[in-house]
């Protein structure tokens, strides 16, 4: 049964559609107002509604679980009146971009909700860190969004051959992901990126100094985000953006700008890791052993691809690292996984001791 609830078109630029209207119908019956969170700051948030932007308190929906707090991009139900106003609930999220917190409790931290595109901004002002790109992409795929890699500050690489090689390096590390070059300084590539982001909600991710705020300003067509210069020595910048801000773009679509992320820990991102390293997962299907770790096992199709040059050794190293990290995070909260890892470690330890014993016998 389809709801007849609707709101004025003021929310359409922020992504309001018939599905959100249906999900909100029970709250409309209670006299609450729909809106989208455009900023969260210290237990309060700015919510864009048909009546304008309202300041609301999130105390009613702020549990101890950091995965369930109100975040930028959420669609929420707000008291239409009152001082202070309160967010009473948020609608079920279609997607969520999550990383692990810096705490030792293995908690997830939600950075943005209801995102269609995850834009990974990578500065060409410094040497490419492909491992970090792969890490961002794993989280992006896991969120349910479509990743896009944007190589910013392309004007700093005037040689087209060099630029093409850099793009190719990133494409090798990002199978199935569009890789775009953009210069906010001279406008090159902005029209292509705006067309990609013109339908749906996008979140802008990357380290400090990647040019995210400059890119957001260029897409918005005005200086809505403050910008600071990156250090020449390493291309890193200070945190220009300190909160996550949602912006409606003039050409359509919505953009969430985020603070620079120094730490990008995985959080239960097995599917995302597999997507980033899809060629390794495909090769692994031809390994002799179904539980092959791609380290020294006979008949390993992955190691054979490295030996033949078909698979870069760096890719395999990065795959192993992210797989281990993700297993460790999952094991902290899943007793069954912890037990499996212990058995695996014991088995590998026994195999290593047996191999060393065989070598010692050969030496005698």
């Amino acid at each position: 049964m389809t709801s007849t609830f609707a709101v004025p078109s003021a929310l359409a630029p922020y992504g309001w559609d018939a599905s959100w209207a249906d999900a909100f119908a029970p709250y409309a019956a209670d006299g609450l107002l729909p809106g989208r969170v455009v900023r969260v700051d210290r237990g309060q948030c700015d919510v864009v509604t048909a009546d304008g932007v309202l300041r609301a308190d999130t105390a009613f929906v702020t549990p101890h679980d950091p995965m369930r707090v109100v975040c930028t991009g959420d669609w929420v139900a707000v008291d239409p009146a009152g001082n202070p106003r309160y967010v009473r609930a948020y609608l079920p999220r279609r997607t969520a971009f999550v990383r692990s917190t810096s705490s030792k409790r293995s908690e997830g931290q939600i950075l943005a909700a209801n995102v269609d595109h995850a834009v990974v901004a990578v500065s060409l002002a410094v040497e490419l860190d492909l491992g970090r790109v792969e890490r961002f992409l794993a989280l992006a795929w896991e969120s349910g969004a479509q990743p896009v890699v944007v190589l910013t500050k392309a004007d700093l690489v005037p040689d087209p051959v060099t630029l093409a090689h850099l793009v190719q390096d990133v494409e090798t590390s990002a199978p199935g992901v569009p890789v775009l070059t953009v210069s906010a300084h001279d406008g090159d590539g902005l029209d292509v990126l705006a067309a990609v982001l013109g339908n749906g909600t996008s979140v802008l991710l990357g380290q400090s100094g990647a040019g995210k705020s400059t890119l957001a300003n260029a897409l918005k067509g005005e200086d809505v985000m403050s910008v600071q210069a990156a250090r020449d020595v390493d291309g890193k910048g200070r945190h220009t953006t300190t909160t996550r801000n949602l912006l409606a773009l003039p050409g359509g679509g919505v953009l969430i700008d985020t603070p620079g992320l120094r730490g990008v820990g995985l959080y239960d991102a097995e599917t995302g890791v597999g997507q980033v390293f899809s060629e390794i997962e495909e090769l692994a299907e031809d390994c002799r052993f179904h539980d092959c770790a791609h380290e020294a096992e006979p008949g390993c199709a992955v190691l054979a691809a490295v030996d033949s040059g078909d698979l870069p050794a760096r890719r395999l190293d990065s795959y192993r690292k992210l797989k281990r990290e993700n297993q460790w995070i999952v094991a902290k909260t899943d007793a069954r996984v912890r037990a499996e890892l212990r058995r695996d470690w014991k088995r590998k330890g026994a195999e290593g001791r047996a191999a060393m014993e065989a070598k010692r016998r050969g030496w005698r």
Side-chain angles (χ1 to χ4, degrees):
M1 179 175 175
T2 303
S3 167
T4 58
F5 172 73
V7 295
S9 59
L11 288 182
Y14 293 91
W16 182 264
D17 58 26
S19 295
W20 288 121
D22 287 344
F24 189 80
Y27 301 103
D30 292 335
L32 299 178
L33 192 67
R36 193 165 196 191
V37 177
V38 297
R39 175 187 170 101
V40 178
D41 184 23
R42 298 176 183 175
Q44 292 190 317
C45 63
D46 293 336
V47 183
V48 61
T49 71
D51 296 338
V53 177
L54 307 179
R55 188 72 168 166
D57 196 299
T58 64
F60 275 100
V61 284
T62 305
H64 295 296
D65 183 355
M67 291 282 285
R68 297 174 59 197
V69 299
V70 172
C71 74
T72 303
D74 272 327
W75 285 99
V76 296
V78 187
D79 284 331
N83 187 19
R85 291 186 176 91
Y86 286 98
V87 172
R88 294 294 177 175
Y90 63 80
L91 301 186
R93 293 160 177 158
R94 294 177 181 175
T95 62
F97 190 92
V98 181
R99 68 166 176 176
S100 65
T101 64
S102 57
S103 72
K104 296 182 179 180
R105 295 194 296 263
S106 304
E107 295 175 330
Q109 177 190 19
I110 182 165
L111 300 182
N114 303 311
V115 171
D116 302 293
H117 304 283
V119 181
V120 180
V122 181
S123 173
L124 290 177
V126 294
E127 184 177 355
L128 287 176
D129 184 345
L130 297 176
R132 181 169 287 272
V133 172
E134 289 160 345
R135 178 180 291 273
F136 271 112
L137 290 175
L139 292 175
W141 281 121
E142 191 69 32
S143 75
Q146 166 66 51
V148 180
V149 177
V150 175
L151 303 180
T152 65
K153 308 182 183 181
D155 54 288
L156 299 180
V157 187
D159 178 26
V161 175
T162 301
L163 184 59
H165 283 306
L166 292 171
V167 170
Q168 185 177 28
D169 286 343
V170 177
E171 287 177 338
T172 301
S173 302
V177 177
V179 179
L180 309 177
T181 58
V182 171
S183 170
H185 180 266
D186 56 27
D188 284 352
L190 281 175
D191 55 341
V192 177
L193 178 59
V196 171
L197 308 185
N199 183 23
T201 299
S202 305
V203 61
L204 192 53
L205 308 161
Q207 288 183 286
S208 298
K212 299 188 305 300
S213 294
T214 301
L215 189 58
N217 287 339
L219 290 167
K220 181 67 175 174
E222 57 182 302
D223 291 340
V224 290
M225 307 301 298
S226 60
V227 177
Q228 296 177 348
R231 298 189 300 237
D232 290 335
V233 64
D234 57 8
K236 294 181 179 179
R238 289 166 293 188
H239 288 312
T240 300
T241 304
T242 56
T243 58
R244 288 172 280 280
N245 302 276
L246 186 147
L247 311 169
L249 301 178
V254 175
L255 182 68
I256 299 175
D257 190 20
T258 65
L261 300 175
R262 291 193 180 95
V264 203
L266 300 185
Y267 183 77
D268 197 5
E270 181 178 357
T271 300
V273 172
Q275 193 82 23
V276 175
F277 299 93
S278 57
E279 82 277 33
I280 295 180
E281 302 252 312
E282 290 174 7
L283 286 167
E285 294 177 2
D286 294 328
C287 289
R288 182 182 301 176
F289 304 108
H290 75 277
D291 60 347
C292 183
H294 322 307
E295 293 177 351
E297 297 87 344
C300 176
V302 174
L303 294 178
V306 173
D307 292 340
S308 67
D310 293 333
L311 176 68
R314 188 208 64 78
R315 284 279 285 170
L316 180 55
D317 290 341
S318 184
Y319 175 71
R320 288 169 174 159
K321 179 180 179 180
L322 294 184
K323 288 284 282 186
R324 285 195 300 267
E325 178 181 329
N326 193 67
Q327 284 181 331
W328 177 246
I329 290 294
V330 173
K332 283 185 175 182
T333 56
D334 191 317
R336 180 184 59 80
V337 173
R338 282 200 302 273
E340 290 178 353
L341 283 178
R342 289 195 190 98
R343 286 195 296 270
D344 189 48
W345 292 335
K346 288 180 180 179
R347 176 180 62 80
K348 289 182 177 179
E351 290 174 351
R353 288 190 296 273
M356 288 300 298
E357 180 62 27
K359 284 183 179 180
R360 282 195 293 269
R361 289 173 181 168
W363 293 334
R364 291 174 185 171

